[in-house]
C-alpha cells in the first residue's frame, strides 16, 4: 500500500512539474528579451497578414519561439485578417500573453511630426513620410489631387498655407486624408488665436494671402526684428499698386534654390510667381513660413518705406527708404560695404 501511495505521489509530482514547465513555456519561455532596450517599437503596416506580423516580430527579435506565439495568439483571438496596424511600444521582459494582449488592444505609441520651413509640397511630403506610414509619393499624390483640393477649398498653389510649422503628435498609421484633416484642424486653431482672423480681415486679406506675404518676408531676412518692417514695406507697395519685385519669388518660380544672385534670367522668367512681371501677391506661398513671419505681417510696422536693400556689412540687416533716390544711396552703400569686405 505504501508503495502504491508513493508511486501515486511520484506521478502527481511529475504531472505538476510538467504542468509548471508548460506554464513557463507559454508565459515565460517567449518573453520579450531585455536586449531590445527600453524604447523599442514595432510598426505593423496596414493590411498585414498574421504570417507577416509573426515574421516581423521574429525579425525584430520580439518573438523567440514562433510555435508558442502562434498557439497563444490563436487562443487569445489575436489572429485576424487583416491584422490590426499601428506603432506599438514593446517593453523588455513581457510574457507572450502580455505581448499579444498589448498588440491586440490597439494601444499605439504616437509619433511626433515636425514641420519647419520646407519650400515645396514635394518637400513637405518627403518630410512627413519620415514620421508616418504613407510614403512621400502617396502624400504627394493627395497634395496635387484636384478633386480633393476643390473639396477642402485650396489649390496646388496655395495649399502650402495650410501647414503651420510646429510639432504634432499623431498615430503612425494614419492615412494621408487623416493627416490633412489634422492639418486643417490645426490651421483653424492657429488662426482662431491672438485675434489673427480679425487682424487679417482689418487688412482686407485672407489668411492665405497673409501667409503668402509672410512666406516672402520669411525668405527676405533672418532677423526677427526686421520682419515687421519688411512686411510693412511690401504692404505699402501693394497699397499704391507697385509691383513687389521680391527676389525670393523669382527664385521660387525658377526653382533655382541654390543661386546666390538673382539675374535677368530670374526676373524675366515667365511664371505667375514672378513678382517682377506680375502685380500683386503671387498665387500662393513660396515656402512654409514661420509663425513669427505670419505675425509680423499681421502686426506690421506702420511707416512710409517702399524700398529696402541689404546693408552688406555682414550684419544681415537691411536699409529702408521712402523714395527711389534714397534707395539708390542705400544701394551704393551696400556696394561699398561689399567691396570693403572683398566680396565684390
Amino acid at each position: 500500500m505504501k508503495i502504491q501511495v508513493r508511486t501515486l505521489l511520484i506521478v502527481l509530482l511529475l504531472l505538476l512539474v510538467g504542468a509548471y514547465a508548460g506554464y513557463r513555456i507559454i508565459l515565460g519561455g517567449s518573453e520579450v528579451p531585455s536586449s531590445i532596450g527600453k524604447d523599442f517599437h514595432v510598426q505593423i503596416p496596414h493590411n498585414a497578414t498574421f504570417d507577416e506580423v509573426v515574421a516581423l516580430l521574429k525579425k525584430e527579435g520580439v518573438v523567440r519561439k514562433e510555435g508558442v506565439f502562434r498557439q497563444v495568439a490563436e487562443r487569445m483571438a489575436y489572429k485576424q485578417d487583416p491584422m490590426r496596424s499601428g506603432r506599438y511600444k514593446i517593453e523588455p521582459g513581457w510574457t507572450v500573453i502580455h505581448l499579444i494582449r498589448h498588440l491586440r488592444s490597439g494601444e499605439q505609441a504616437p509619433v511626433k511630426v515636425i514641420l519647419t520651413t520646407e519650400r515645396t509640397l514635394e518637400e513637405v511630403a518627403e518630410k512627413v513620410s519620415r514620421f508616418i506610414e504613407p510614403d512621400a509619393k502617396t502624400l504627394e499624390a493627395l497634395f496635387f489631387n484636384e478633386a480633393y483640393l476643390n473639396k477642402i477649398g485650396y489649390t496646388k498653389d496655395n495649399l502650402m498655407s495650410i501647414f503651420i510649422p510646429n510639432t504634432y503628435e499623431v498615430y503612425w498609421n494614419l492615412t494621408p486624408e487623416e493627416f490633412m484633416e489634422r492639418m486643417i484642424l490645426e490651421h483653424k486653431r492657429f488662426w482662431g488665436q491672438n485675434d489673427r482672423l480679425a487682424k487679417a480681415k482689418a487688412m482686407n486679406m485672407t489668411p492665405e494671402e497673409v501667409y503668402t506675404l509672410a512666406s516672402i518676408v520669411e525668405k527676405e531676412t533672418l532677423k526677427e526684428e526686421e520682419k515687421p518692417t519688411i512686411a510693412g514695406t511690401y504692404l505699402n507697395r501693394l497699397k499704391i499698386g507697385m509691383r513687389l519685385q521680391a527676389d525670393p519669388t523669382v527664385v521660387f518660380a525658377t526653382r533655382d534654390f541654390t543661386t546666390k544672385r538673382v539675374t535677368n534670367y530670374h526676373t524675366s522668367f515667365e511664371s505667375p510667381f514672378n513678382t517682377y512681371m506680375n502685380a500683386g501677391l503671387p498665387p500662393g506661398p513660396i515656402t512654409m513660413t514661420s509663425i513669427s513671419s505670419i505675425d509680423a505681417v499681421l502686426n506690421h510696422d506702420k511707416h512710409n518705406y517702399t524700398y529696402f536693400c541689404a546693408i552688406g556689412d555682414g550684419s544681415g540687416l537691411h536699409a529702408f527708404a521712402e523714395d527711389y533716390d534714397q534707395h539708390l544711396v542705400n544701394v551704393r552703400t551696400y556696394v561699398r560695404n561689399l567691396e570693403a569686405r572683398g566680396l565684390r
Side-chain angles (χ1 to χ4, degrees), residues 47-309:
N47 301 315
T49 65
F50 178 67
D51 287 340
E52 289 171 337
V53 171
V54 173
L56 171 65
L57 295 176
K58 282 190 66 178
K59 180 181 178 182
E60 295 290 345
V62 174
V63 167
R64 294 183 292 177
K65 294 186 178 180
E66 180 180 339
V68 173
F69 180 85
R70 286 179 176 274
Q71 181 183 0
V72 178
E74 291 205 30
R75 290 189 177 185
M76 293 181 65
Y78 174 56
K79 183 179 180 180
Q80 55 183 300
D81 186 25
M83 297 294 287
R84 187 188 292 272
S85 65
R87 177 178 180 266
Y88 302 94
K89 184 174 182 180
I90 309 298
E91 298 286 352
W94 275 357
T95 65
V96 65
I97 288 178
H98 195 156
L99 172 63
I100 292 171
R101 186 180 293 129
H102 181 65
L103 295 174
R104 188 183 61 183
S105 73
E107 184 182 340
Q108 292 193 56
V111 296
K112 292 183 178 180
V113 175
I114 303 170
L115 296 180
T116 50
T117 53
E118 280 63 47
R119 293 195 94 152
T120 66
L121 291 175
E122 291 87 350
E123 289 181 6
V124 175
E126 177 62 35
K127 181 70 171 292
V128 173
S129 70
R130 299 176 195 171
F131 304 100
I132 64 175
E133 181 183 6
D135 61 22
K137 290 297 181 184
T138 303
L139 289 164
E140 192 177 317
L142 184 67
F143 293 168
F144 290 95
N145 184 310
E146 190 172 342
Y148 174 75
L149 293 176
N150 287 337
K151 178 182 175 182
I152 64 173
Y154 286 85
T155 69
K156 62 181 178 61
D157 288 332
N158 69 12
L159 181 63
M160 183 68 84
S161 64
I162 209 170
F163 300 111
I164 306 298
N166 211 331
T167 298
Y168 302 101
E169 246 189 20
V170 301
Y171 288 125
W172 171 78
N173 64 337
L174 86 174
T175 66
E177 289 80 3
E178 288 170 338
F179 170 72
M180 288 304 294
E181 287 173 10
R182 176 64 183 278
M183 292 299 98
I184 292 170
L185 178 64
E186 296 293 344
H187 178 272
K188 290 179 179 178
R189 182 178 291 126
F190 172 80
W191 282 97
Q193 297 171 341
N194 301 326
D195 295 322
R196 290 188 177 102
L197 277 178
K199 290 175 181 178
K201 186 176 181 180
M203 296 165 61
N204 292 316
M205 297 179 76
T206 65
E208 291 72 33
E209 290 171 333
V210 170
Y211 193 109
T212 296
L213 181 54
S215 72
I216 299 174
V217 174
E218 179 79 19
K219 288 302 178 183
E220 284 286 12
T221 183
L222 296 173
K223 302 296 182 179
E224 294 293 325
E225 64 269 27
E226 280 195 328
K227 288 182 176 182
T229 310
I230 291 177
T233 302
Y234 278 130
L235 285 166
N236 286 342
R237 289 187 179 188
L238 289 173
K239 287 176 185 176
I240 64 176
M242 180 180 176
R243 292 178 183 175
L244 294 183
Q245 295 184 323
D247 288 354
T249 65
V250 295
V251 170
F252 178 83
T254 58
R255 299 299 197 272
D256 186 14
F257 297 133
T258 60
T259 188
K260 294 182 179 180
R261 182 167 169 265
V262 170
T263 66
N264 184 61
Y265 160 73
H266 300 92
T267 58
S268 62
F269 188 85
E270 288 285 347
S271 168
F273 284 89
N274 185 339
T275 58
Y276 276 83
M277 300 180 67
N278 303 289
L281 289 168
I286 60 169
T287 188
M288 187 186 299
T289 188
S290 65
I291 292 173
S292 65
S293 291
I294 296 172
D295 286 339
V297 173
L298 293 172
N299 303 288
H300 59 278
D301 289 346
K302 308 298 193 297
H303 53 63
N304 295 319
Y305 298 139
T306 51
Y307 297 92
F308 66 93
C309 73

Side-chain angles (χ1 to χ4, degrees), residues 24-60:
R24 290 298 300 163
I25 288 174
I26 291 176
L27 290 185
S30 287
E31 67 181 2
V32 178
S34 59
S35 59
I36 69 168
K38 294 183 178 180
D39 192 29
F40 188 84
H41 298 80
V42 294
Q43 296 171 338
I44 299 175
H46 274 94
N47 301 315
T49 65
F50 178 67
D51 287 340
E52 289 171 337
V53 171
V54 173
L56 171 65
L57 295 176
K58 282 190 66 178
K59 180 181 178 182
E60 295 290 345

